[in-house]
Amino acid sequence: MNEFEEYLLRLSDSSFFALYRNYLGPEKSPVRKHALIRELRAFFSRPKTVDRVFSYIDDEETEILAAVDLLPAPGTDALVRFFDGEPGPASIQRLLSNLLDRMVLIRDGSGLPRLNPLIAAEIRSRVTDNYQLVRFVPDRETAATQRAGPWMTVNLACALRSFLAWSGTVFTRSGAVRRSARNALDEAFPALFAADAEGESRFARAIEVLSRLGLVERDDEGNVTPVDVTWEELGDLPYEWVNLLLWSAPLAESVEAALETGNTLRDLFAQWPDGTGLDRRGFRRAVMLIEPATQIETGAVDLLVELGVLVEIDSRLWLPDATRRVLATTPDPSNIVLQANMEVVFTDAPPVATAFALSEVCEIVAYDRAPHFVLTERSVMRAYQSRGSALPLLQGVAALPQNVRFNVSRWEERARSVRIRRAVVLQVSDEAARMVAASPTMADLGAEAIGKNIFLFPEGSADRLEAALRDMGVSAIVESTRGDPGSDVPHFARLAERYRQSQLFRSVPGFTPAENETTPAKRDVASPHDLDAALEKLEHDEGARRELSLRIDRKLILFPEQLQNPAGGGALTEARGLDYLGKVRIIEQAIADDDLLEAVFRAGEGTPERILCRPLELDRTGDDLMVRGRREPDGKAVRIRVRRISVVRRFSGTLIREFRENR
């Protein structure tokens, strides 16, 4: 049994037989549901039926079908978020209900709408395409993708870390940049953080990004201080992911949410067709198609434009080539140059951990897309206090000029001469001491022998030290209780691993660029005039004729033969005269099922009036009940007293009633 047959089998008898009678007429005795299911499958597999079904699909329905096909979990709430009010929630619910009745959609086992598998391939090839939802149009004139790219990058983060380590109090209590900090910014970042509105805004945004990631702490006095342990944690991530975090941090409320947003942006940028742009609505839709849980609001798009990750020209968003290059960059240690004059220059992207470490050891001199550092006595001495000797780091980057080695060694010797330190003390046996002294891992951790079988390690290295000892086969006992300096530090690597693993299990849609910037031509939708003419020739009573006409309007009648049996289908009930409770019951059922009512009543002049409306509520007015609703088809608000109604008829035009509240 295939998915289509399983769906029909799950339907209640009332819904199933309503479908069968609408399309194939009254069932024949004896009734065998499995046999009737096979008949329905054969009917909707016929080329003639498929062509007729397709001829009725309009542009609005095409978008709904494309979204249902592409969204991972296309419940009503997800579709409402996706379409963002166009169409609205009520319209989406009615469209889904109607497409289910027309067998264009079915429901899966969890109640979510899916394309009818009998015609899904045809729908994808003849009706839907993701560019109808997300229109990437080609860039013909503006050369938008060649514009400047993102300015908030790993290189800038390194430069800012060094700058903030020496800048003292950066902001006033009111949030303005202090004059001393302003002078330092003009010297180190003359172009990026210029003394104008744009430069001030960029600097404030950069500090916000670092703060949201926990890389700096800002106090009430205006001091902005780097948090070294957080930089070390972040340095464990790949270059691409660190840049994504820098871009997504101001868009999210937490580091975990920033990783989720960054992961989604990564997938979107990878699928963004070269040389194309799309409007903001299309951008938000593209994000939801990749990850429905990621919400990109208008302000978030503004931030991506502000950061230079996207470029906006003529109300379209473009992905600059520079953004692609940043994400495609492979870091290389050879991009770091140590010069004999004590200067350190990044020619391109170095490994993240190395770049962050150098930003702690050096002072920033200037920044223009890449930082220009210098090794000074105070920077080396400060780094020695927090991380130990800088020589292993510098030697691992490049061959050290002799004078650089001499100066760094001399400065570190001065730092050791008189010092007060917080450190991790390791006391070991003779055998273990030899292992520690010979271990490159321990050297990388900053091991310093200060006595027989006693070593010092930098503060905050206890966890890594314990792990390294375990790898060496040495069990360590922590004898003192220590605070956790990194208790509030995001575990970037652990969080990111979750998203790296998720890439193995989720499917990212590819986006097809449009051939031109023009809006796609509207679909030619078949007119039901032939059905209206066929109905006029049949002898049916007024209620049956109205019900069939309603079904024609809702595209539930495909062929004239279906008009022969007006009783085969949805609910058709009425109450008249003195049956007050019957009229109330029909109105209540119509409200509950979102059905239509036809009411015949006497107007103020005493003349009979007939109205078709969609009832919304039934409330008491004095000793009577008042039905309030909207007249069809103009939507005008109406109010009718129940006692004045002589005849009320309920028209559903809906065949399937389960799952109506599925979200």
Side-chain angles (χ1 to χ4, degrees):
M1 184 174 292
N2 61 27
E3 186 180 0
F4 177 77
E5 293 174 342
E6 289 175 352
Y7 163 67
L8 293 179
L9 197 59
R10 286 195 302 269
L11 292 177
S12 65
D13 285 348
S14 61
S15 293
F16 173 77
F17 286 109
L19 274 173
Y20 185 89
R21 292 163 187 161
N22 179 74
Y23 291 108
L24 297 177
E27 65 277 9
K28 299 177 179 63
S29 297
V31 175
R32 295 185 177 88
K33 192 170 183 180
H34 284 82
L36 301 182
I37 287 175
R38 288 194 292 271
E39 290 182 38
L40 276 171
R41 178 183 177 180
F43 176 78
F44 280 100
S45 299
R46 293 189 316 178
K48 182 180 178 182
T49 304
V50 172
D51 288 341
R52 191 70 169 181
V53 168
F54 277 101
S55 70
Y56 281 162
I57 296 175
D58 60 30
D59 291 309
E60 188 175 44
E61 293 165 348
T62 294
E63 290 202 346
I64 292 288
L65 293 174
V68 166
D69 190 32
L70 292 171
L71 285 172
T76 305
D77 285 347
L79 290 168
V80 168
R81 290 195 304 272
F82 182 81
F83 286 104
D84 196 22
E86 298 178 20
S91 296
I92 288 174
Q93 187 65 51
R94 279 196 289 272
L95 283 166
L96 287 176
S97 177
N98 183 244
L99 289 167
L100 285 164
D101 284 345
R102 289 155 55 190
M103 302 303 289
V104 181
L105 296 177
I106 65 170
R107 298 274 189 182
D108 63 17
S110 61
L112 293 172
R114 302 293 182 189
L115 298 184
N116 183 340
L118 298 181
I119 57 176
E122 287 287 321
I123 291 175
R124 295 185 184 108
S125 65
R126 293 170 55 178
V127 179
T128 68
D129 198 329
N130 59 39
Y131 78 81
Q132 295 172 320
L133 300 175
V134 183
R135 297 201 72 242
F136 286 92
V137 299
D139 181 11
R140 301 300 188 192
E141 301 175 355
T142 62
T145 60
Q146 299 175 23
R147 304 295 177 95
W151 51 268
M152 190 70 216
T153 61
V154 169
N155 280 348
L156 177 61
C158 292
L160 282 171
R161 182 190 189 185
S162 178
F163 173 82
L164 294 170
W166 304 106
S167 57
T169 305
V170 177
F171 296 101
T172 64
R173 286 183 174 272
S174 65
V177 178
R178 287 187 177 274
R179 181 175 300 178
S180 57
R182 177 71 267 164
N183 293 336
L185 285 172
D186 289 340
E187 183 176 347
F189 306 91
L192 189 62
F193 300 140
D196 54 26
E198 183 179 6
E200 297 278 355
S201 175
R202 277 185 170 178
F203 182 63
R205 183 68 68 199
I207 298 301
E208 178 195 357
V209 169
L210 299 182
S211 298
R212 282 179 177 256
L213 294 177
L215 296 170
V216 298
E217 290 180 344
R218 180 173 175 176
D219 62 23
D220 295 336
E221 300 298 323
N223 298 302
V224 183
T225 308
V227 181
D228 293 338
V229 67
T230 312
W231 289 91
E232 291 179 14
E233 281 278 342
L234 187 60
D236 291 337
L237 291 185
Y239 181 82
E240 175 191 35
W241 278 80
V242 177
N243 282 296
L244 288 166
L245 269 175
L246 294 173
W247 302 339
S248 59
L251 281 62
E253 296 298 325
S254 66
V255 169
E256 187 167 4
L259 277 164
E260 178 184 294
T261 302
N263 190 41
T264 302
L265 292 177
R266 172 179 178 266
D267 289 340
L268 173 57
F269 294 164
Q271 296 296 332
W272 194 304
D274 290 340
T276 65
L278 75 168
D279 59 22
R280 288 181 173 232
R281 183 184 183 190
F283 182 82
R284 290 194 295 271
R285 286 184 174 185
V287 167
M288 280 198 67
L289 288 177
I290 292 172
E291 178 48 69
T294 301
Q295 297 293 308
I296 297 290
E297 307 297 340
T298 300
V301 178
D302 291 337
L303 285 171
L304 290 172
V305 173
E306 178 187 334
L307 292 171
V309 178
L310 298 175
V311 173
E312 187 168 29
I313 301 174
D314 298 333
S315 300
R316 291 199 182 277
L317 299 169
W318 308 87
L319 183 64
D321 295 336
T323 301
R324 295 183 189 271
R325 285 195 297 272
V326 168
L327 295 179
T329 295
T330 300
D332 190 334
S334 65
N335 292 327
I336 301 173
V337 178
L338 294 178
Q339 299 177 348
N341 61 358
M342 309 299 291
E343 293 184 353
V344 181
V345 179
F346 291 4
T347 58
D348 200 342
V352 177
T354 305
F356 285 172
L358 285 172
S359 69
E360 183 183 6
V361 173
C362 305
E363 290 188 45
I364 186 68
V365 175
Y367 179 84
D368 183 13
R369 296 188 180 275
H372 183 174
F373 295 112
V374 64
L375 285 162
T376 66
E377 181 174 1
R378 70 170 185 170
S379 70
V380 170
M381 293 183 71
R382 177 186 180 277
Y384 189 87
Q385 293 173 3
S386 61
R387 65 178 297 115
S389 175
L391 283 173
L393 168 68
L394 298 173
Q395 290 169 340
V397 171
L400 286 182
Q402 185 175 357
N403 68 309
V404 174
R405 184 190 301 275
F406 173 79
N407 284 331
V408 171
S409 299
R410 181 163 55 90
W411 294 336
E412 289 184 349
E413 182 61 34
R414 290 178 184 173
R416 285 192 295 269
S417 60
V418 179
R419 48 190 172 143
I420 300 174
R421 305 175 56 183
R422 288 192 181 95
V424 177
V425 179
L426 176 66
Q427 183 177 1
V428 294
S429 64
D430 291 342
E431 181 182 358
R434 289 192 293 271
M435 295 172 63
V436 171
S439 170
T441 301
M442 293 299 174
D444 291 342
L445 287 175
E448 179 183 349
I450 61 172
K452 183 181 181 188
N453 300 348
I454 298 176
F455 297 85
L456 286 187
F457 291 84
E459 182 185 13
S461 64
D463 291 337
R464 288 176 292 159
L465 176 58
E466 288 181 50
L469 288 170
R470 284 196 301 270
D471 292 341
M472 294 169 58
V474 177
S475 298
I477 298 175
V478 181
E479 295 184 348
S480 62
T481 302
R482 66 175 185 271
D484 182 5
S487 58
D488 295 326
V489 175
H491 297 285
F492 293 106
R494 176 174 56 80
L495 291 172
E497 184 61 27
R498 180 185 313 170
Y499 294 98
R500 282 199 289 265
Q501 291 294 327
S502 73
Q503 296 300 115
L504 302 175
F505 302 105
R506 78 173 182 180
S507 175
V508 178
F511 294 108
T512 306
E515 294 181 358
N516 52 60
E517 297 186 26
T518 61
T519 302
K522 292 186 176 296
R523 283 180 52 79
D524 292 328
V525 181
S527 171
H529 291 321
D530 59 330
L531 298 174
D532 290 329
L535 179 59
E536 288 297 323
K537 297 176 182 179
L538 298 175
E539 295 182 1
H540 290 308
D541 60 42
E542 186 176 357
R545 189 177 297 278
R546 178 60 68 92
E547 173 72 15
L548 288 170
S549 179
L550 182 60
R551 292 199 197 174
I552 291 174
D553 291 341
R554 293 189 174 185
K555 308 175 187 177
L556 301 181
I557 305 296
L558 302 178
F559 305 108
E561 304 87 76
Q562 294 174 245
L563 301 172
Q564 299 293 332
N565 184 31
L572 171 60
T573 57
E574 74 172 37
R576 59 177 63 232
L578 300 177
D579 186 9
Y580 186 85
L581 291 179
K583 288 183 281 187
V584 170
R585 190 156 44 247
I586 288 174
I587 294 170
E588 289 175 338
Q589 291 172 348
I591 293 172
D593 291 336
D594 196 27
D595 288 339
L596 295 178
L597 285 179
E598 182 184 56
V600 180
F601 60 96
R602 292 196 174 274
E605 299 81 10
T607 57
E609 184 172 335
R610 187 187 305 270
I611 190 171
L612 184 67
C613 72
R614 187 175 301 279
L616 302 177
E617 61 179 348
L618 190 64
D619 58 16
R620 180 167 293 280
T621 302
D623 61 349
D624 196 4
L625 291 173
M626 181 84 73
V627 58
R628 304 175 189 272
R630 299 214 171 263
R631 188 172 66 188
E632 292 287 331
D634 59 12
K636 182 179 179 181
V638 294
R639 298 186 305 168
I640 311 170
R641 288 184 179 274
V642 174
R643 291 191 187 278
R644 291 175 57 191
I645 298 175
S646 56
V647 180
V648 61
R649 296 188 181 95
R650 174 185 170 200
F651 298 98
S652 75
T654 298
L655 306 177
I656 300 174
R657 298 199 168 272
E658 45 257 72
F659 311 113
R660 292 176 69 91
E661 299 304 319
N662 184 284
R663 308 303 287 173

